[in-house]
Structure formats: C-alpha cells, structure tokens
Amino acid sequence: MVMTTNEQVGAGDLVEREAAALYRLMTWLSPAFPVGGFSYSSGIEWAVEAGDITDVATLADWLDAMLGDGSGFCDATFLVQAYRAAEAGEDAALGDIAELAAAFVPSRERQLETTSQGRAFIDITRAAWDANGLDAMVAACRTPLVYPVAVGVVAAMHAVPLAPTLHAFLHALVSNWISAASRLIPLGQTDSQRVLVKLEAAAAVTANRALNATLDDLGSATFRADLASLRHETQYTRLFRS
C-alpha cells in the first residue's frame, strides 16, 4: 500500500487549478486592482444631470440596456474573441480583433476610459502576474488595448477558463457603473445592491450571447448612452473622466 500525506479532495473542494483561476479573477477584477475604473462613469454622469437617471428603477433600466444592447455586449464579445485568438496563438486574428475593438468605442472619453484601463491592466499583470507568451500576444495587437481585450488576452495566457472570466468581467463592469451612479444620484448602499441584483439575469444572458456570438453579431442600439458619453465631454461640472 502506498502511503501519502496528501489529503483526498472531496467532491465539493476546489482543485488547485480551479482555485488559482478563481483567486486570479477575484484579484484582477476587484475594485482594488489599480486600473482606475473608479474615475469613469461611461456617460452616466451626463445621464444623471440630464434627468434620464434619477432613482433605482431608472438606473436599472439604463444599465440593463447598456449591458444587453450596448457597450456591455460589445465588450463581452470582444473579450471572448480576444481570448480565443490568444489561446490559439492566432496573432493576425488577435491584431484584427484589437483594432476593431478600439474602433468600436463611440467617443473620445470612452476611448480614454477603455484604453487607459487596458494599458494599466496589462502593465500590472506583466509586473505581478506575468505568463509565458503574454508579451508576444500583446505585441500582436498592434494598437493600444481596450480593457476587455486586455482581460481576454491575460486570462487566456493564464489558462483561466473563458466562461467564468466573462461573467467576472461583466460583474465588474456593472459594479463600476453602479458605483459611479451611487455617487451621482445619489444611492445608498442597499439600493446599489438592489440594482446589482436586478441585473444578475441580464449579465448571464449577455454572457451567453457573447459566448455564442461572432464579430458579425456586434452592434449597439443604445444611442442615448452613446450620446451621453459624447455630451459629457462638454459637461460643465464633472466628477468623472467619462
């Protein structure tokens, strides 16, 4: 009989690889990870000033549209496509995806928002969470990386599974939107959590759509949100950079 000091893994226990993936996702997509997301509102600041967002109900409706029919779905799709291209080592395809993702951003401030976070995400993971092949994949992108592409590439190079990466990314995205709105409307902590609960199903639907989408399925139907990000550029009093 072979003796071992290792404990048996129970049916409900995380294996080492799953635990590592979860640990990294919780770190990378935590508000404490220093990409500067707290300084951006994705146009929500203008929507609050314009009276489009005034309370829990109007915020939930606005974010539901952004998530399912606007930048949320587009970002999710770009993350999926970037992940798969990086995982397969398809440099040319990844470069095309990165360029298209950068071109899809509807305003100058949103461009700043997503590329600054993408750059910070890559820089920090290179410094603290480097992985074999990451530098080559970043170089293949040929353009400043938008945030979802950066997350997709890093997750692929760390072999963190795609589906939980996507769900974690969408949760972080929605949480940041709600955090911005809570300071602008303002909302209390409990109401902020109520909005997050309302968007749980929408986030799951968006993730599933993105997992089955191609680049040909990309598109946005949230003109008012895009207009908000444009008009925020000339808003007189601002707390946020977008």
Side-chain angles (χ1 to χ4, degrees):
M1 181 175 65
V2 177
M3 301 296 293
T4 176
T5 58
N6 292 334
E7 296 182 3
Q8 290 187 343
V9 177
D13 294 335
L14 287 174
V15 299
E16 183 177 354
R17 190 170 182 178
E18 291 173 335
L22 180 60
Y23 190 89
R24 293 173 195 193
L25 284 177
M26 292 177 70
T27 301
W28 296 339
L29 296 168
S30 162
F33 200 70
V35 296
F38 64 88
S39 61
Y40 300 98
S41 81
S42 300
I44 291 170
E45 185 167 22
W46 182 86
V48 171
E49 182 173 291
D52 291 13
I53 299 175
T54 58
D55 54 19
V56 168
T58 52
L59 175 62
D61 287 345
W62 183 276
L63 298 188
D64 183 75
M66 285 182 66
L67 184 60
D69 299 310
S71 59
F73 170 68
C74 293
D75 282 358
T77 302
F78 282 124
L79 187 156
V80 170
Q81 297 299 317
Y83 182 105
R84 289 172 175 162
E87 183 181 41
E90 297 175 351
D91 294 14
L94 180 59
D96 291 343
I97 292 163
E99 289 182 348
L100 181 61
F104 238 74
V105 184
S107 69
R108 181 181 62 83
E109 286 188 347
R110 283 282 290 114
Q111 184 81 14
L112 172 67
E113 174 182 340
T114 190
T115 55
S116 65
Q117 290 184 85
R119 180 174 61 253
F121 189 84
I122 290 294
D123 289 346
I124 297 160
T125 51
R126 273 173 161 171
W129 300 84
D130 202 12
N132 291 333
L134 179 57
D135 287 345
M137 288 297 103
V138 172
C141 291
R142 306 190 302 266
T143 188
L145 292 184
V146 299
Y147 188 37
V149 171
V151 173
V153 168
V154 169
M157 293 298 94
H158 280 265
V160 176
L162 174 55
T165 297
L166 180 58
H167 280 272
F169 173 81
L170 288 174
H171 177 273
L173 185 67
V174 170
S175 295
N176 197 66
W177 290 341
I178 294 172
S179 176
S182 71
R183 286 170 274 171
L184 293 164
I185 296 174
L187 290 181
Q189 294 178 348
T190 302
D191 278 341
S192 296
Q193 289 301 308
R194 289 189 176 112
V195 178
L196 193 59
V197 170
K198 286 177 179 288
L199 295 173
E200 181 179 2
V205 169
T206 299
N208 288 333
R209 283 179 60 208
L211 286 168
N212 293 288
T214 69
L215 294 176
D216 291 335
D217 297 314
L218 283 165
S220 174
T222 52
F223 178 73
R224 186 71 172 172
D226 293 343
L227 184 65
S229 71
L230 289 165
R231 290 192 170 176
H232 185 270
E233 295 176 6
T234 56
Q235 190 170 335
Y236 182 72
T237 302
R238 302 187 298 175
L239 296 177
F240 295 91
R241 300 180 72 187
S242 70

